[in-house]
Amino acid sequence: MSLFRKFFGTSGNEEDNDNKQEVKSPYSPDVTLAIDEQFTFNFKENGGKFIYCENLEEISENFENILAENDWFECNAQCFDNRLLYLLDINKLTYNNASNPIFILSSCENLIADEGSILFSSNQFKHFKPNELPTNMIVFATTSQIVHSKSDGLRRIKNAHEKNYPSNITTIKYFEEVKEQDFLHYGSCHKNLYLLLLEDL
């Protein structure tokens, strides 16, 4: 069965025909998604909003589109990453000692493909826990930050910060409010999250 059909389904007759013709050898390799496709699929399944950007101009343009969509112009924002402050400056948003910020603009450590989550640390959140930050988040990341699993992400953090290992390492996985709480969501907080993903590979 084609990957497109696997995701979007088929009519019953087509399914029957495919099953009659498809005989999988026990020696054939498993067909898996590329790591970037796997992350995108799982991230969207978790309720995240994904915006692919080819260059920094598209990052700026899509950032402004997010502000316009949510009417976040002339509001208070939060940002702990000096490299991203220019996006707030050019849109004349306040962020110095801002009280009651509407959203947080942040980078991240890694994007975790197998669960569609985003890995953060004190480099992005300082000492704040996710539930102490605004519900609305705009996250900047690059395609080279996509890793297969959480353990791969932790390994990258260790390699990148050998002498100054960050604290407050956490993942955010749920990007929409759950109507009925279940044990899988227990203790987690949801975020209305936009991901601006820059192609750098």
Side-chain angles (χ1 to χ4, degrees), residues 129-140:
K129 293 180 171 56
N131 62 357
E132 297 172 327
L133 298 167
T135 299
N136 301 309
M137 298 185 71
I138 303 175
V139 175
F140 169 80

Side-chain angles (χ1 to χ4, degrees), residues 12-195:
N13 291 337
E14 289 176 327
E15 188 75 31
D16 291 341
N17 290 338
D18 280 346
N19 288 337
K20 289 175 184 175
Q21 296 172 358
E22 185 178 294
V23 178
K24 184 176 179 182
S25 165
Y27 304 105
S28 63
D30 289 335
V31 177
T32 56
L33 292 175
I35 191 169
D36 55 342
E37 293 175 358
Q38 184 182 13
F39 170 77
T40 303
F41 179 81
N42 290 331
F43 177 75
K44 288 182 176 179
E45 284 287 295
N46 293 339
K49 301 172 185 72
F50 172 85
I51 305 169
Y52 175 82
C53 304
E54 292 187 351
N55 51 54
L56 291 175
E57 289 75 21
E58 288 188 9
I59 291 287
S60 296
E61 180 182 335
N62 285 307
F63 179 75
E64 289 183 25
N65 291 340
I66 293 170
L67 296 181
E69 177 185 332
N70 294 281
D71 195 21
W72 287 345
F73 288 107
E74 300 180 11
C75 75
N76 294 332
Q78 190 172 45
C79 182
F80 301 119
D81 191 330
N82 291 334
R83 299 170 300 173
L84 299 177
L85 292 180
Y86 78 96
L87 288 169
L88 301 176
D89 288 332
I90 61 177
N91 288 286
K92 299 179 181 177
L93 297 169
T94 57
Y95 54 86
N96 291 323
N97 301 317
S99 59
N100 300 319
I102 297 297
F103 70 90
I104 180 170
L105 174 63
S106 177
S107 56
C108 66
E109 293 291 344
N110 291 111
L111 307 174
I112 311 301
D114 66 353
E115 61 179 31
S117 64
I118 303 181
L119 185 65
F120 299 93
S121 76
S122 55
N123 290 328
Q124 293 83 39
F125 289 173
K126 302 298 182 187
H127 61 280
F128 295 100
K129 293 180 171 56
N131 62 357
E132 297 172 327
L133 298 167
T135 299
N136 301 309
M137 298 185 71
I138 303 175
V139 175
F140 169 80
T142 61
T143 52
S144 62
Q145 289 179 278
I146 301 175
V147 296
H148 177 68
S149 66
K150 197 179 296 181
S151 60
D152 293 331
L154 294 173
R155 194 175 303 113
R156 277 207 188 179
I157 292 176
K158 183 177 180 181
N159 292 338
H161 308 286
E162 288 183 7
K163 295 182 180 179
N164 191 19
Y165 195 77
S167 59
N168 198 22
I169 296 173
T170 186
T171 57
I172 295 179
K173 180 178 179 180
Y174 301 108
F175 309 115
E176 58 188 2
E177 192 167 6
V178 180
K179 293 179 182 176
E180 294 184 11
Q181 195 66 257
D182 61 37
F183 75 95
L184 292 174
H185 294 77
Y186 184 77
S188 62
C189 66
H190 82 281
K191 296 293 182 184
N192 174 35
L193 193 143
Y194 293 84
L195 176 64

